[in-house]
């Protein structure tokens, strides 16, 4: 064996050994930084509305699930009078159970806050963090209408579906669709001690024409604060994630670091 071949063999062995030590460390670091996000949309929406945000999270190595609640989005053909809040809580709970998800960062937007509250109460040991995005924060036994201070009679209900003012008469897909009315009147349960202990973030979207002081008057903000949750703000209207998805994702990735304050009894 000449000297050149000898050196080549020695270099190959050295490269393999170095790779064996370095690669596991790199892979482990990526796994430790990665989260599992379950993004729950709001009233009239669907998983489609969170595709851009979901893709940006996935590009950074996170696992992302964007369930569509029964009767909405691509499942709008399933809308009927039997669809209620329990149906939607079960939609998300079953996703977590059937996908065998653990340490979930459970995110709810708007009405989705009602849903993730119920999921947390049902599966507290599967949830690592709760993030309420401009979302309803109910007390135990409250319905969405209770949280919003809205009377059922004030809603435009046709055949068991609520036609909210922001719906557009268009055949273009994807789009917001009428929302099952019974999901808004059913109270949610939130009394499991383990669920109440879950670290949570409340992110208030603050439009240009509203001061932070005005935004702080929202009962959901006040309820979140009274629980010791971390309060964050993000400049923009109720669907700002559609306009500034990259900035939004950067903010969202910070929320799992939030810890609840201890509330003096």
């Amino acid at each position: 064996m000449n000297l050149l071949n000898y050196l080549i063999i020695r270099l190959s062995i050295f490269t393999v050994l170095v790779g064996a030590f370095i690669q596991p460390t790199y892979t482990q670091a990526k796994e430790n930084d990665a989260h599992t996000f379950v993004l729950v949309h709001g009233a009239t929406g669907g998983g489609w509305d969170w595709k851009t945000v979901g893709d940006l999270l996935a590009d950074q190595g996170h696992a992302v699930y964007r369930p569509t609640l029964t009767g909405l989005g691509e499942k709008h053909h399933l809308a009927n009078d039997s669809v209620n809040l329990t149906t939607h809580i079960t939609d998300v709970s079953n996703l977590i159970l059937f996908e065998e998800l653990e340490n979930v960062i459970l995110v709810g937007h708007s009405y989705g806050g009602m849903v993730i509250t119920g999921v947390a109460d049902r599966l507290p040991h599967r949830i690592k963090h709760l993030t309420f995005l401009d979302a309803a924060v109910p007390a135990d036994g409250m319905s969405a209408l209770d949280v919003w201070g809205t009377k059922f009679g004030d809603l435009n209900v046709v055949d068991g579906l609520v036609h909210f003012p922001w719906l557009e008469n268009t055949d273009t897909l994807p789009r917001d669709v009428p929302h099952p009315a019974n999901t808004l009147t059913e109270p949610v349960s939130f009394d499991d001690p383990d669920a109440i202990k879950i670290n949570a973030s409340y992110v208030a979207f603050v439009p240009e024409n509203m001061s932070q002081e005005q935004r702080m008057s929202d009962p959901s903000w006040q309820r979140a604060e009274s629980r010791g949750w971390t309060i964050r703000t993000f400049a923009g209207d109720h669907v700002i994630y559609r306009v500034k998805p990259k900035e939004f994702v950067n903010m969202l990735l910070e929320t799992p670091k939030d810890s609840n304050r201890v509330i003096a009894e």
Side-chain angles (χ1 to χ4, degrees):
M1 178 183 298
N2 59 39
L3 179 60
L4 178 59
N5 288 338
Y6 174 77
L7 291 174
I8 291 173
I9 292 173
R10 296 287 293 183
L11 180 60
S12 298
I13 294 173
F14 177 77
T15 301
V16 170
L17 290 175
V18 170
F21 284 104
I22 293 178
Q23 187 61 37
T25 303
Y26 173 73
T27 302
Q28 188 65 39
K30 287 187 66 177
E31 290 176 353
N32 287 341
D33 291 339
H35 295 298
T36 298
F37 285 91
V38 175
L39 308 176
V40 181
H41 61 83
T44 75
W48 61 269
D49 198 22
W50 291 88
K51 178 174 173 55
T52 300
V53 168
D55 287 348
L56 289 171
L57 288 169
D59 287 344
Q60 297 190 43
H62 304 284
V64 183
Y65 296 83
R66 299 179 287 111
T68 291
L69 304 174
T70 299
L72 298 162
E74 71 275 14
K75 300 178 182 178
H76 71 95
H77 60 288
L78 300 177
N80 60 72
D81 287 342
S82 69
V83 177
N84 56 19
L85 180 58
T86 295
T87 308
H88 288 171
I89 292 170
T90 303
D91 286 336
V92 180
S93 297
N94 280 347
L95 168 72
I96 292 171
L97 293 172
F98 277 79
E99 293 288 345
E100 300 180 304
L101 304 183
E102 304 280 354
N103 297 317
V104 172
I105 311 300
L106 185 58
V107 181
H109 173 242
S110 193
Y111 160 77
M114 298 296 301
V115 179
I116 69 172
T117 296
V119 174
D121 198 69
R122 189 181 294 188
L123 301 174
H125 300 297
R126 299 287 185 116
I127 312 303
K128 180 179 181 180
H129 194 89
L130 293 168
T131 299
F132 288 72
L133 299 175
D134 223 34
V137 178
D140 178 55
M142 293 183 76
S143 70
L145 294 187
D146 292 332
V147 175
W148 296 335
T150 304
K151 296 179 180 179
F152 188 82
D154 294 334
L155 301 175
N156 180 20
V157 181
V158 180
D159 296 329
L161 301 177
V162 181
H163 291 251
F164 284 102
W166 60 81
L167 297 182
E168 298 179 357
N169 293 322
T170 175
D171 292 330
T172 303
L173 297 176
R175 68 173 187 273
D176 288 288
V177 298
H179 190 93
N182 287 333
T183 65
L184 307 180
T185 57
E186 183 185 3
V188 71
S189 294
F190 189 64
D191 58 0
D192 186 294
D194 291 321
I196 295 170
K197 295 175 185 177
I198 298 173
N199 288 324
S201 306
Y202 177 78
V203 184
F205 301 170
V206 184
E208 289 184 3
N209 60 350
M210 180 181 291
S211 68
Q212 183 162 315
E213 288 70 24
Q214 290 173 312
R215 189 66 184 80
M216 290 171 65
S217 66
D218 188 318
S220 286
W221 176 312
Q222 296 174 357
R223 199 169 292 115
E225 192 167 37
S226 71
R227 294 175 182 175
W229 294 359
T230 299
I231 308 295
R232 292 175 175 268
T233 59
F234 194 80
D237 63 18
H238 197 53
V239 289
I240 187 61
Y241 54 89
R242 298 175 181 174
V243 182
K244 297 182 178 180
K246 291 182 180 179
E247 296 87 343
F248 190 85
V249 165
N250 290 337
M251 177 277 298
L252 187 59
L253 286 172
E254 292 297 313
T255 62
K257 303 174 185 177
D258 295 338
S259 297
N260 296 346
R261 291 180 293 104
V262 177
I263 303 299
E265 297 183 359

